[in-house]
Amino acid sequence: SYDLIQPPSVSVSPGQTANITCSGKNLEDKYCCWFQQKPGQSPVLVIYEDTQRPSGIPERFSGSNSGNTATLTISGTQAIDEADYYCQAWDSGFGGGTKLTVL
Amino acid sequence: EVQLVESGGGLIQAGGSLRLSCAASGFSVSSNYMSWVRQAPGQGLEWVSVFYPGGRTDYADSVKGRFTISRDISKNTLFLQLNNLRVEDTALYFCARDLTFDFWGRGTLVTVSS
């Protein structure tokens, strides 16, 4: 079981906005990270400290964290964004992952 | 350039032991939090263990008492000793840097047979 709860799947049309949620007790009191993992590849950090983007991550990726829910938002979703996404917060481990389908 | 290269995985019988290595380059393991994270086939990510810069270590409950994390500063390498392995320890084991897991290796596969 996971302390951080994510929806198993999210679908979005190309060019639209995808929102992936991550719920956990008092999550706003912890920094949340988000990772993208494509098949056969290692995870890649796309958001850290709730809202920060590492260098090289496109601006269409953004994050927020309020109350018990952190959210990864992908604006103008592209086909290359199709992947599994995991949230993570220290002391809470990783969420179960969300498969993002772009169709 | 930051690089992490894991090695040491393999096929092992339940109850056996393995030692995984994570060779780092482009930064010093002594100055960073260094973690092991595993991923069972077709499953999600599971944090396993962390080595703090100051020397403290921590483990997931699922491996506590069986796995030991260590580092060799002279070799700039992180290790994970896996003892008393179980079938459910079968996974791809990654090492990752920092509390944000900003860099990951490609992983080394551990397969535990019954």
Side-chain angles (χ1 to χ4, degrees):
Chain A
S1 65
Y2 297 95
D3 289 339
L4 299 178
I5 306 301
Q6 299 180 234
S9 62
V10 168
S11 296
V12 64
S13 299
Q16 298 304 302
T17 296
N19 290 298
I20 300 174
T21 57
C22 173
S23 298
K25 187 176 180 181
N26 299 323
L27 190 53
E28 69 176 351
D29 296 335
K30 310 172 188 180
Y31 275 136
C32 187
C33 297
W34 289 93
F35 301 88
Q36 176 193 70
Q37 188 179 32
K38 296 182 179 180
Q41 298 184 18
S42 302
V44 173
L45 178 68
V46 294
I47 294 290
Y48 68 98
E49 292 181 1
D50 296 337
T51 62
Q52 303 302 302
R53 263 182 300 106
S55 61
I57 300 302
E59 290 184 9
R60 63 180 181 273
F61 288 86
S62 63
S64 63
N65 188 1
S66 179
N68 295 322
T69 302
T71 303
L72 173 69
T73 299
I74 309 173
S75 305
T77 307
Q78 300 181 11
I80 57 170
D81 299 328
E82 189 163 284
D84 293 327
Y85 290 86
Y86 296 89
C87 63
Q88 182 270 341
W90 203 247
D91 285 348
S92 299
F94 291 89
T98 298
K99 182 177 181 60
L100 177 68
T101 301
V102 183
L103 40 67
Chain B
E1 179 191 7
V2 172
Q3 275 199 326
L4 295 167
V5 179
E6 302 92 338
S7 61
L11 176 62
I12 189 84
Q13 279 197 324
S17 298
L18 279 176
R19 190 192 195 204
L20 307 183
S21 300
C22 169
S25 57
F27 74 100
S28 172
V29 298
S30 63
S31 304
N32 288 267
Y33 294 81
M34 295 295 299
S35 290
W36 288 95
V37 177
R38 67 184 181 183
Q39 187 169 34
Q43 302 300 310
L45 302 172
E46 180 188 15
W47 173 78
V48 173
S49 182
V50 62
F51 201 109
Y52 289 65
R56 175 186 160 186
T57 60
D58 203 3
Y59 301 90
D61 288 343
S62 57
V63 307
K64 204 170 290 185
R66 300 187 300 123
F67 291 7
T68 303
I69 192 171
S70 63
R71 69 185 181 190
D72 185 329
I73 295 174
S74 67
K75 296 180 180 178
N76 209 29
T77 298
L78 181 74
F79 300 99
L80 187 68
Q81 178 69 39
L82 288 63
N83 294 333
N84 191 20
L85 280 161
R86 305 168 180 169
V87 171
E88 55 265 35
D89 294 320
T90 294
L92 186 62
Y93 284 73
F94 298 99
C95 64
R97 188 184 78 162
D98 197 48
L99 290 178
T100 59
F101 305 98
D102 59 350
F103 284 95
W104 298 63
R106 294 193 172 193
T108 186
L109 182 62
V110 173
T111 304
V112 184
S113 66
S114 56

